[in-house]
Amino acid sequence: MRPVAVIGIGKTAFGAFPDRDLRTLAVEAGQKAMEDAGVQPSDIEAFYLGNFAGPSFVGQNHLAPYVASAMGMIGIPATRFEAACASSGSAFYHAVSAVAAGLHEIVLVGGVEKMTSQPTPKVTEILAAAGDVAGEGRAGATFPALFAMIARRHMYQYGTTREMLAAVAVKNHANGAKNPLAHMRKVITMEQALNGKPVSEPLTVYDCSLISDGAAAVVIAPLERANEFTKRPARVRGIAQASDFLALDEKDDITTFRAVQTAAAKAYMMAGVEASDIQFAEVHDCFTIAEIIAIEDLGFVKKGEGGPYTLEGRTCIKGERPVNTSGGLKSKGHPVGATGVAQICDVVLQLRGEAGERQISNHSLGLAQNLGGSGATCVVSVLEAA
């Protein structure tokens, strides 16, 4: 297996775009990534697309060649990956594996979702299909309800408070306000976060990620060839994907995600690093409790200490280990199929020292954690400045 590097990145703005369709979003991100890498469509040997529910959101299937052909890529393998919110993280994992194995040289990985084409109740229904439809879905449980149960149990077991959840939202909104591509560039106060409109107790609107449109893309190549294309490659030091049960009642402990722990352990082993070596991370804060659990399951803090660690400001941009300098899903936006690759783009921006107002001082080793459903899929990627 040969080392792999990210040689180009590209993202659209995330938001609600009634005048944009899925394909134009995906094409914009892909073209930006190829331009950043200094490659042409004719250089791309395979296209991997992450998309959760294009058929349900916009009525279009067979999405990978639909997008690839619009970018002038004809005759190459073009494949769509679906793994709920981890769809493009999974696409990235498989693309890296293919390049590492020598199957392809230059590969484009994209992620896209067009969610606002449906009304909110329908979006909620579509998203719920990433959970256990026969059990939880039949009982009327949507993802806000499931993560509310997770939050309540975490509060019971570890003393986590509403202020700790709100601290995640306040931090990520502050970061997102500095991100020109973020869906919600809005600073909020602790008081606002605590008194937001209830969604599913104890979660308010400020604890929940957004319904967004958007796309992201990266170009990857063997590390040994990276300097042919860029002076700023980011090496994929370690990457792993893991899975678990969909339904909460099948998990031993709903305050931890076994797939995150498994994927992290494998990614750390491949990278030859430990959790303490990771300087910054983009984690999957679909709900504020998810970020708290993520930093615990990734080994940044001991179980139950994620809330206090956040409330103390240690995950802020100037903290000891910045988390979600992009604004996270909470503020940057969460076009489901685009999120995993967007996280890679944001990690690479930090590694390059190009994150603008959000740039952190220690940025040579970063991590992206992309979660699917209520923990049934997870992809963890460790990247370093090459």
Side-chain angles (χ1 to χ4, degrees), residues 9 175 178-180 280 282 317 325-326 345-360 363:
I9 59 174
N175 294 349
K178 300 175 182 178
N179 182 350
F280 68 98
E282 288 290 321
I317 285 179
T325 63
S326 67
C345 291
D346 290 316
V347 170
V348 172
L349 274 180
Q350 288 286 355
L351 294 175
R352 291 178 174 179
E354 297 177 354
E357 291 183 81
R358 298 170 289 115
Q359 184 61 50
I360 58 176
H363 55 90

Side-chain angles (χ1 to χ4, degrees), residues 65-320:
Y66 178 68
V67 171
S69 61
M71 286 189 276
M73 299 185 300
I74 307 293
I76 64 171
T79 309
R80 172 191 169 204
F81 288 77
E82 186 279 304
C85 309
S87 292
S88 61
S90 181
F92 182 70
Y93 167 78
H94 286 87
V96 169
S97 301
V99 173
L103 187 61
H104 302 297
E105 291 290 302
I106 313 300
V107 171
L108 179 64
V109 188
V112 65
E113 209 76 62
K114 171 68 179 176
M115 303 174 70
T116 63
S117 54
Q118 300 290 342
T120 298
K122 183 62 176 179
V123 172
T124 303
E125 178 185 334
I126 293 169
L127 293 173
D132 176 31
V133 175
E136 294 167 343
R138 189 176 180 184
T142 60
F143 275 109
L146 296 177
F147 276 87
M149 285 192 280
I150 292 168
R152 266 291 164 214
R153 186 66 191 183
H154 202 277
M155 290 173 162
Y156 173 78
Q157 289 185 197
Y158 302 111
T160 304
T161 66
R162 279 284 301 117
E163 287 76 14
M164 294 171 187
L165 297 179
V168 174
V170 171
K171 168 185 67 75
N172 289 349
H173 272 270
N175 294 349
K178 300 175 182 178
N179 182 350
L181 298 180
H183 186 162
M184 185 171 287
R185 302 183 64 191
K186 173 184 176 181
V187 174
I188 63 170
T189 66
M190 176 66 77
E191 183 180 4
Q192 284 177 294
L194 290 171
N195 295 300
K197 181 180 178 181
V199 175
S200 185
E201 204 280 331
L203 304 181
T204 76
V205 66
Y206 289 114
D207 292 294
C208 306
S209 57
L210 302 161
I211 294 171
S212 308
D213 305 329
V218 296
V219 179
I220 62 173
L223 180 63
E224 62 191 16
R225 294 190 58 191
N227 288 330
E228 296 177 26
F229 308 98
T230 179
K231 295 180 180 179
R232 307 161 298 172
R235 179 183 177 181
V236 182
R237 277 282 298 269
I239 187 167
Q241 178 172 331
S243 60
D244 196 9
F245 295 109
L246 266 71
L248 294 189
D249 72 317
E250 294 185 285
K251 303 179 192 294
D252 295 331
D253 180 356
I254 66 171
T255 67
T256 190
F257 296 133
R258 182 165 51 187
V260 178
Q261 294 178 326
T262 302
K266 290 181 177 180
Y268 294 154
M269 182 177 296
M270 181 184 292
V273 302
E274 297 180 354
S276 58
D277 297 317
I278 303 299
Q279 296 171 326
F280 68 98
E282 288 290 321
V283 308
H284 200 96
D285 61 319
C286 49
F287 299 91
T288 51
I289 185 61
E291 178 170 316
I292 289 172
I293 291 175
I295 64 176
E296 295 173 351
D297 288 345
L298 290 167
F300 297 163
V301 296
K302 293 180 180 179
K303 201 65 199 168
E305 296 181 1
Y309 189 78
T310 302
L311 189 60
E312 291 163 8
R314 296 161 79 178
T315 59
C316 293
I317 285 179
K318 294 185 179 180
E320 64 184 50

